[in-house]
């Protein structure tokens, strides 16, 4: 990491500097090959107390602020905001309206193409964040709400729909999205938390840090394990080497080299949550499998991640191509597992046992499956905490959520469910043609 650049530290952080960059890979020491891959500088939008919009670009590699631009007054009193993409921001008003703010330019000046009210009332959330993968989250009165966003520039209920109350108990000081259905948050007593949301009433909370975050009054994330927290007007940056493990012991702090030591006076802040992605440690290449042939575990996971990245829509009648583009598989939960295994057919939850062997759940390895014959199957990705029975999985979930990655416990945790089905009903399966590697 670059040493502190003292010349860029000054009390008034709202100033103009250089332009943005291109593809950037942020490497870390642990694990050796893990990295956050960013498509350029991190984009952070904000609003000042007087209602003016701001835009800040931050270098993900060094934490240096590249530039800050101040735009016009939005024309209403902002309450919560969520950056949808590089040039679109959703902002609620204190009157409960929802506005779409379209950015004309954020190169050398911050100009707006328009401010459009797309919802007249009901948007009373105290916090709002977008995960970069079609899910808009908000909190109010301790409830976590989620909407599906179907357009880059939504025009109202037709494009912001499928409203669901995920659950209760989300009394948080800050909230930010860090990836597809992944949230990070802080509490007034100083905890840093992460949430993997699997569906209504189904989420996993991980305590990344038990204390030390009470001073953070605003938290944003561009994804990829990068977090930016404002404390006493200064903006500090952090890097989680593996944001998928539910642990915080690998978070790197840059306390002596903040983005800025002071000057961040915005009332609201929001980062574009798809600026960066996490790239897991690389594995040695293996010989690609053939349909119905022997397949290595790493290839099974790679094939699963392909559908996850493509967010293949759930359907019990439709088919989609596998990563090779040579074969199509049914796009429901068992069709997805069949695709990941490169099986010779799209099996069902009833027929998957015919091409696999039942194993003990404690013996699960990447590429195995948890199957319940009452209608669902998930692909086991890895152990998060084997001693506690906590694991990560990938599945074709349902028509509302499509492809998802989740975390749960073998016993189902607090609600006794895994992906919405009773944990006790799942059987661990190992594909007959899977091999280590």
């Amino acid at each position: 990491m670059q040493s502190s650049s003292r010349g860029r530290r000054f009390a008034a952080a709202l100033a103009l500097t250089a332009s943005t960059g291109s593809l950037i890979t942020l490497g870390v020491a642990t694990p050796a090959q893990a990295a956050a891959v960013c498509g350029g500088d991190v984009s952070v939008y904000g609003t000042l107390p007087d209602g003016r919009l701001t835009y800040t670009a931050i270098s993900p590699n060094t934490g240096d602020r590249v530039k800050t631009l101040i735009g016009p007054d939005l024309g209403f009193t902002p309450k919560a905001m969520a950056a949808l993409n590089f040039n679109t921001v959703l902002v609620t008003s204190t009157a409960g309206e929802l506005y779409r703010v379209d950015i004309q330019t954020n190169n050398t000046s911050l100009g707006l193409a328009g401010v459009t009210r797309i919802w007249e009332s009901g948007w009373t959330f105290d916090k709002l964040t977008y995960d970069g993968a079609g899910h808009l989250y908000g909190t109010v009165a301790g409830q976590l709400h989620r909407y599906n966003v179907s357009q880059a520039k939504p025009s109202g209920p037709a494009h912001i729909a499928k409203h669901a109350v995920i659950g209760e108990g989300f009394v948080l000081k800050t909230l930010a999205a860090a990836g597809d259905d992944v949230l990070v948050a802080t509490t007034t007593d100083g905890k840093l938390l992460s949430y993997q949301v699997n569906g209504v009433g189904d989420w996993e909370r991980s305590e990344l840090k038990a204390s030390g975050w009470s001073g953070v009054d605003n938290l944003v994330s561009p994804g990829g394990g990068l977090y930016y927290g404002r404390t006493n007007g200064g903006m500090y940056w952090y890097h989680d080497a593996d944001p998928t493990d539910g642990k915080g012991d690998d978070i790197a702090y840059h306390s002596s080299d903040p983005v800025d030591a002071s000057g961040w006076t915005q009332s609201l802040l929001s980062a574009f949550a798809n600026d960066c992605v996490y790239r897991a440690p690389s594995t040695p290449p293996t010989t690609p499998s053939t349909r119905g042939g022997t397949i290595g575990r790493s290839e099974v996971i790679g094939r699963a991640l392909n559908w996850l990245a493509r967010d293949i829509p759930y359907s019990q009648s439709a088919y989609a191509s596998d990563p090779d583009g040579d074969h199509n598989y049914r796009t429901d939960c068992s069709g997805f597992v069949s695709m990941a295994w490169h099986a010779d057919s799209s099996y069902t939850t009833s027929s998957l046992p015919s091409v696999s062997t039942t194993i003990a759940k404690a013996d699960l390895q990447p590429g195995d499956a948890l199957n319940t014959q009452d209608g669902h199957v998930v692909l086991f990705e890895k152990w998060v905490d084997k001693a506690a029975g906590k694991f990560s999985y990938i599945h074709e979930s349902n028509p509302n959520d499509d492809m998802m990655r989740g975390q749960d416990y073998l016993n189902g945790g607090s609600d006794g469910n895994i992906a919405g089905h009773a944990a006790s009903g799942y059987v661990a399966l190992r594909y007959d043609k899977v091999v280590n590697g």
Side-chain angles (χ1 to χ4, degrees):
M1 296 298 175
Q2 180 175 319
S3 61
S4 177
S5 302
R6 300 295 180 187
R8 65 179 168 83
R9 313 298 182 202
F10 53 91
L14 303 176
L16 310 182
T17 53
S19 61
T20 58
S22 56
L23 186 68
I24 298 169
T25 301
L26 175 61
V28 294
T30 305
Q33 301 300 318
V37 180
C38 304
D41 293 326
V42 173
S43 298
V44 181
Y45 285 97
T47 59
L48 293 169
D50 62 7
R52 288 181 295 168
L53 189 71
T54 69
Y55 170 77
T56 301
I58 301 172
S59 168
N61 252 344
T62 65
D64 290 349
R65 180 173 49 78
V66 177
K67 63 182 175 183
T68 297
L69 307 173
I70 303 176
D73 187 337
L74 293 177
F76 60 90
T77 304
K79 182 177 181 180
M81 73 184 305
L84 284 191
N85 48 60
F86 188 68
N87 60 6
T88 312
V89 184
L90 294 181
V91 187
T92 64
S93 73
T94 52
E97 304 153 307
L98 178 64
Y99 289 86
R100 189 190 73 228
V101 179
D102 297 318
I103 314 301
Q104 180 71 41
T105 179
N106 54 17
N107 186 14
T108 58
S109 64
L110 181 56
L112 303 184
V115 178
T116 306
R117 185 174 65 180
I118 60 174
W119 220 298
E120 293 187 356
S121 63
W123 286 78
T124 58
F125 300 110
D126 47 62
K127 299 171 188 66
L128 203 64
T129 189
Y130 180 68
D131 71 354
H135 309 119
L136 179 67
Y137 286 93
T139 56
V140 62
Q143 291 183 330
L144 179 67
H145 295 242
R146 185 177 70 182
Y147 296 81
N148 284 9
V149 181
S150 59
Q151 297 290 328
K153 290 190 177 294
S155 60
H159 303 145
I160 302 177
K162 297 183 179 178
H163 172 231
V165 178
I166 298 301
E168 308 274 352
F170 290 85
V171 181
L172 306 168
K173 184 175 182 180
T174 67
L175 178 71
D180 188 358
D181 284 316
V182 177
L183 306 174
V184 290
T186 62
T187 61
T188 54
D189 60 356
K191 292 183 176 65
L192 176 65
L193 308 173
S194 72
Y195 294 89
Q196 172 67 59
V197 179
N198 306 318
V200 174
D202 186 7
W203 69 88
E204 293 301 324
R205 188 185 100 153
S206 299
E207 185 177 286
L208 301 182
K209 294 292 181 181
S211 62
W213 289 71
S214 60
V216 176
D217 61 17
N218 216 308
L219 183 69
V220 300
S221 173
L226 288 173
Y227 312 136
Y228 296 85
R230 184 178 65 185
T231 303
N232 296 324
M235 182 60 80
Y236 296 81
W237 63 298
Y238 311 85
H239 186 207
D240 190 342
D242 184 355
T244 69
D245 64 4
K247 300 177 181 179
D249 54 2
D250 56 351
I251 296 178
Y253 287 61
H254 300 276
S255 302
S256 62
D257 184 26
V259 177
D260 287 296
S262 62
W264 283 72
T265 60
Q266 292 94 331
S267 302
L268 302 174
L269 291 168
S270 180
F272 171 32
N274 206 23
D275 262 347
C276 305
V277 295
Y278 168 68
R279 185 164 65 193
S282 59
T283 56
T286 58
T287 302
S289 63
T290 58
R291 192 180 195 197
T294 300
I295 186 170
R297 294 187 180 279
S298 60
E299 187 182 353
V300 172
I301 298 301
R303 290 172 65 85
L305 292 175
N306 176 271
W307 270 30
L308 181 65
R310 290 161 59 191
D311 197 20
I312 300 297
Y314 179 99
S315 173
Q316 294 184 345
S317 58
Y319 286 73
S321 63
D322 66 0
D324 303 330
D326 296 332
H327 304 100
N328 294 326
Y329 291 85
R330 194 179 59 255
T331 60
D332 59 7
C333 61
S334 51
F336 160 69
V337 170
S338 301
M339 182 283 302
W341 285 352
H342 212 170
D344 57 6
S345 179
S346 293
Y347 290 91
T348 66
T349 52
S350 296
S351 60
L352 279 172
S354 68
V355 292
S356 59
T357 302
T358 301
I359 60 172
K361 292 178 182 178
D363 293 334
L364 283 162
Q365 295 183 49
D368 294 334
L370 283 167
N371 182 58
T372 174
Q373 291 194 22
D374 69 359
H376 199 58
V377 61
V378 303
L379 189 76
F380 182 89
E381 183 181 18
K382 65 179 180 179
W383 290 106
V384 175
D385 185 345
K386 189 172 184 179
K390 188 176 183 179
F391 65 98
S392 172
Y393 62 92
I394 305 170
H395 67 142
E396 186 71 81
S397 56
N398 57 65
N400 289 329
D401 298 312
D402 302 322
M403 286 297 307
M404 293 186 69
R405 170 189 267 143
Q407 290 186 9
D408 221 315
Y409 294 86
L410 289 178
N411 65 4
S414 59
D415 65 357
N417 289 334
I418 297 173
H421 295 257
S424 59
Y426 280 93
V427 174
L429 299 179
R430 177 163 296 158
Y431 183 43
D432 289 337
K433 296 184 178 180
V434 73
V435 296
N436 293 329

